[in-house]
Amino acid sequence: MTYLIRSLGRSLVAYVVVAGLWITASSLIPGFGVFAHLRYIVELGAIIGFAAIGQTLTVIGGGIDLSVSAVITVAAILLPMLSFAPDTTGLGAIALTLLVASGIGAVNGLGIGYLGLPPLIMTLAMATILQGVLVLIAGGSAISVDNAALTWLGASHAVGISATIILWALAAAATLFWLHGTRSGALIYAVGTNPEVSRLSGVPVQRVTLWLYVAAGLCAGIAGLLLLAMNGQGYVGIGDPYLLSSIAAVVLGGTSILGGQGTYLGTIAGAVLLVTMTALITVINASEGWRSMILGCLILGLLPLSGRDRSR
Amino acid sequence: MSTSAIRPLYWPIQWRRNEGLGALYIVLGAFVVLYVALFPGILAPGAVNKFVQGWFPTAMVAVAETIVMLTGGIDLAVGPMVSLGSVVAASTMQTPLGVFGAVLAVMALGAGTGTIVGAFVAIARYPAIIVTLAMSFIIRGTALLILPRPGGFVAPAFSDFLAGNHPTTIVLVLVLVMLWKLYQATPLGVGLIAVGDNAEGAYRSGVGVVSARMFAYAVSGVLQAMTGLYVAAQTGSGDPLIGEPLTLSAIAAAVLGGVSFLGGQGTLRGALAGSLLMSILINVMFFMDLPLVAQYVVQGLIIVITVALPRLRGARSHTA
């Protein structure tokens, strides 16, 4: 808990930037500050937010997950294919999809934790392999979804707040509790800071790593489902933008890319910040080239705020 | 005296650089044999030339990535940089600057961008992975602004010179190796590996850490931009997205070649062998008419297996 308070300062910056952007944009652009629009921004942020849960966990644990986008696509394509008649609620298909997503994460975790492969390589290779499998099962076509539970998720509101946002809030609370309130959460920081010392101190490094990547796979799977709920159909490449944005959200949130430092609290602000920027760029109606350039400059420009790594 | 004392060391040191690459050489050898057995036609001089031309871009970006990884960094903007190089080449060649001006422009572009990235990493000390991630957005955006869709102009004579029926590319590979030897013989080249291995120790020993790092990024940038020039010559046009897949190929080839993410460990021969394996793999699978699926899956598996094998053996000898 004390760590959470200490790292709050670092993540606070991202919150301040988001608040500043929202206030400025609301006063300059008519319609930006409307509740429904801000809610939509946070809803979009939820997808990055879920993908970034896994990214935050693996980065704090000293790794990185480059298979996020592939797992998102797998989930978004698998669910429509799994929707079958006897499963009227659609919950069975969802459970099965998330199981597959977690399974992919488990393979990553086994390769990294037990075989000692560099995370960058293992998850990159996994992404390449999944890419191939996806082309095989989906080809170039988009698959529409017909899943009762998912439709409900995409459409329901409670006191004006959509189910997606509530789900994100719950997941965020669970992630923060795991990181800062449990013993195994503390071990993630230990592994990320120094795996060798952790191992010698009796930390089950291999097991911790395995569970990190299982969680990452699961969260990417959920992100895929949310994306599907919003989009209505899944296709190859649907998850591609989420690899870079999940990493960017983690970094903007003040988590050190070198591991062992950071909190998901900052990542939440990082995710909302990214979506807000994209929304603003869309408002000024920039072309694809400008959009990409502005986004890159913003990430570079915000780097000093999120702290630098003096370790090398 | 001094030369006779150094001479006997040269070959043992060269030999030691092959350490840890055994598995890669065996896999590579097996694939070369498979390739030749399946398609004996590849041994014809013209076919070898064509193969080298297909391999060259991957080899160039693998070397560019290796230089950055040796300093302990990583470059995620390789692909967009290649695209931008091709775009700049194809849009300057029709201006009065001509071919010579285009080559100069591309080189300046690579050196300039590399220096900017190097400044962020070496002077401002931001993590390379984030700086290059952000740069990849900026570079991609710039390429799209210059040339929104494939086009531009590449002088046919220039295309023919680089990618025609002359062994120009084979000469370029040799030049690349010679330049590498030259780089390694300068203080900046020695600093390159020293900085990646132990920056603090290198600094205390009088290595210019900042200059070594910045120079590394600049050299890497030039190589990437020149790859774009070559690709433009090959395809006869500039394409703002043509380089995209090369980011991953570059990293994969370097890692296959035993270049460590932690810096300070890796060799040019490893990077070249790694990229060669990737190229042969793709060619063999293409000629065997394997579906795209198999190509992706096999590529992923080969990377994992080649990296995992030495570790598995290492782990066993540890416990034994």
Side-chain angles (χ1 to χ4, degrees):
Chain A
M1 258 308 145
T2 43
Y3 181 83
L4 180 62
I5 294 163
R6 253 192 301 138
S7 56
L8 208 62
R10 246 186 148 182
S11 29
L12 208 61
V13 177
Y15 282 96
V16 172
V17 175
V18 169
L21 266 182
W22 278 20
I23 292 169
T24 325
S26 305
S27 57
L28 292 178
I29 304 159
F32 186 92
V34 178
F35 176 69
H37 183 252
L38 292 181
R39 186 180 67 192
Y40 179 63
I41 285 184
V42 178
E43 261 172 44
L44 286 177
I47 300 172
I48 299 183
F50 263 102
I53 290 180
Q55 204 65 265
T56 309
L57 292 174
T58 51
V59 167
I60 291 177
I64 196 161
D65 188 356
L66 297 185
S67 63
V68 170
S69 49
V71 176
I72 289 179
T73 310
V74 165
I77 283 178
L78 201 57
L79 185 75
M81 302 183 97
L82 285 175
S83 301
F84 34 87
D87 177 27
T88 46
T89 57
L91 288 174
I94 288 182
L96 209 58
T97 307
L98 293 181
L99 197 67
V100 171
S102 312
I104 296 170
V107 176
N108 278 336
L110 288 173
I112 296 162
Y114 289 84
L115 286 184
L117 290 165
L120 218 60
I121 293 306
M122 182 64 217
T123 54
L124 193 64
M126 177 58 83
T128 314
I129 293 171
L130 290 178
Q131 190 89 30
V133 175
L134 282 170
V135 172
L136 174 73
I137 58 175
S141 57
I143 309 165
S144 296
V145 68
D146 180 25
N147 185 303
L150 204 66
T151 316
W152 176 85
L153 181 70
S156 330
H157 293 262
V159 286
I161 299 168
S162 47
T164 309
I165 296 177
I166 294 172
L167 194 65
W168 186 24
L170 291 177
T175 309
L176 285 171
F177 179 71
W178 186 21
L179 277 177
H180 305 294
T182 65
R183 204 182 97 82
S184 62
L187 295 186
I188 299 176
Y189 285 94
V191 172
T193 308
N194 192 331
E196 191 58 23
V197 170
S198 303
R199 190 178 65 80
L200 294 172
S201 319
V203 176
V205 175
Q206 300 181 326
R207 204 157 19 121
V208 170
T209 309
L210 173 63
W211 284 111
L212 275 182
Y213 285 90
V214 170
L218 175 67
C219 292
I222 299 175
L225 294 186
L226 291 179
L227 187 61
L228 186 64
M230 206 167 275
N231 225 16
Q233 48 186 8
Y235 49 88
V236 175
I238 189 174
D240 288 355
Y242 292 95
L243 171 59
L244 298 186
S245 46
S246 68
I247 299 176
V250 170
V251 173
L252 289 178
T255 295
S256 163
I257 201 82
L258 304 174
Q261 253 183 62
T263 165
Y264 184 66
L265 208 57
T267 309
I268 298 173
V272 177
L273 181 57
L274 277 178
V275 183
T276 309
M277 287 177 191
T278 319
L280 285 175
I281 295 170
T282 315
V283 168
I284 56 172
N285 211 356
S287 75
E288 172 76 26
W290 280 114
R291 192 182 300 192
S292 178
M293 231 166 113
I294 294 172
L295 206 59
C297 289
L298 284 173
I299 295 176
L300 266 190
L302 288 173
L303 262 183
L305 299 179
S306 59
R308 43 179 114 181
D309 293 291
R310 280 276 180 206
S311 70
R312 265 180 180 275
Chain B
M1 168 64 205
S2 63
T3 42
S4 61
I6 289 168
R7 268 278 147 70
L9 272 178
Y10 183 76
W11 290 112
I13 285 177
Q14 287 298 320
W15 178 248
R16 260 184 55 182
R17 292 198 177 144
N18 292 322
E19 251 175 36
L21 293 176
L24 174 63
Y25 289 158
I26 292 170
V27 175
L28 182 59
F31 269 95
V32 170
V33 169
L34 179 71
Y35 194 18
V36 173
L38 285 172
F39 315 101
I42 179 67
L43 289 178
V48 170
N49 194 26
K50 276 277 165 271
F51 174 80
V52 172
Q53 286 175 2
W55 165 54
F56 190 61
T58 320
M60 285 275 280
V61 291
V63 173
E65 190 72 62
T66 299
I67 293 175
V68 171
M69 280 171 69
L70 279 174
T71 69
I74 189 161
D75 195 340
L76 297 181
V78 170
M81 193 64 212
V82 172
S83 305
L84 184 59
S86 89
V87 164
V88 167
S91 43
T92 46
M93 223 173 263
Q94 55 194 344
T95 63
L97 294 171
V99 171
F100 187 66
V103 174
L104 276 186
V106 169
M107 282 184 81
L109 166 85
T113 315
T115 308
I116 294 173
V117 175
F120 271 105
V121 175
I123 299 174
R125 297 244 200 163
Y126 295 124
I129 187 168
I130 297 306
V131 174
T132 54
L133 181 71
M135 281 309 277
S136 74
F137 282 106
I138 297 173
I139 297 171
R140 187 179 302 122
T142 314
L144 281 167
L145 285 179
I146 297 178
L147 211 62
R149 56 192 73 75
F153 166 81
V154 177
F158 181 68
S159 283
D160 186 59
F161 171 68
L162 275 184
N165 289 323
H166 326 288
T168 320
T169 312
I170 297 175
V171 175
L172 285 179
V173 174
L174 296 178
V175 169
L176 185 68
V177 175
M178 301 298 281
L179 284 177
W180 175 257
K181 294 278 176 204
L182 190 66
Y183 183 17
Q184 289 302 293
T186 65
L188 284 168
V190 176
L192 170 74
I193 293 175
V195 160
D197 191 46
N198 182 347
E200 184 70 26
Y203 178 73
R204 300 260 178 245
S205 320
V207 174
V209 174
V210 171
S211 59
R213 277 203 179 127
M214 282 191 60
F215 191 73
Y217 277 93
V219 169
S220 175
V222 171
L223 284 178
Q224 294 168 29
M226 293 304 263
T227 310
L229 181 74
Y230 186 83
V231 170
Q234 254 178 337
T235 58
S237 66
D239 183 337
L241 295 172
I242 197 162
E244 292 294 316
L246 284 177
T247 307
L248 296 192
S249 314
I251 298 174
V255 170
L256 274 181
V259 182
S260 160
F261 280 114
L262 303 174
Q265 245 180 57
T267 51
L268 180 83
R269 69 193 67 183
L272 289 181
S275 62
L276 192 58
L277 177 61
M278 304 261 299
S279 265
I280 291 184
L281 208 63
I282 290 168
N283 273 19
V284 166
M285 287 190 293
F286 180 76
F287 284 129
M288 280 170 75
D289 261 341
L290 284 183
L292 206 59
V293 190
Q295 298 190 21
Y296 279 119
V297 173
V298 171
Q299 211 171 314
L301 286 180
I302 290 274
I303 294 174
V304 169
I305 291 169
T306 318
V307 178
L309 267 185
R311 277 162 206 279
L312 281 182
R313 241 183 310 146
R316 209 173 305 144
S317 62
H318 253 301
T319 48

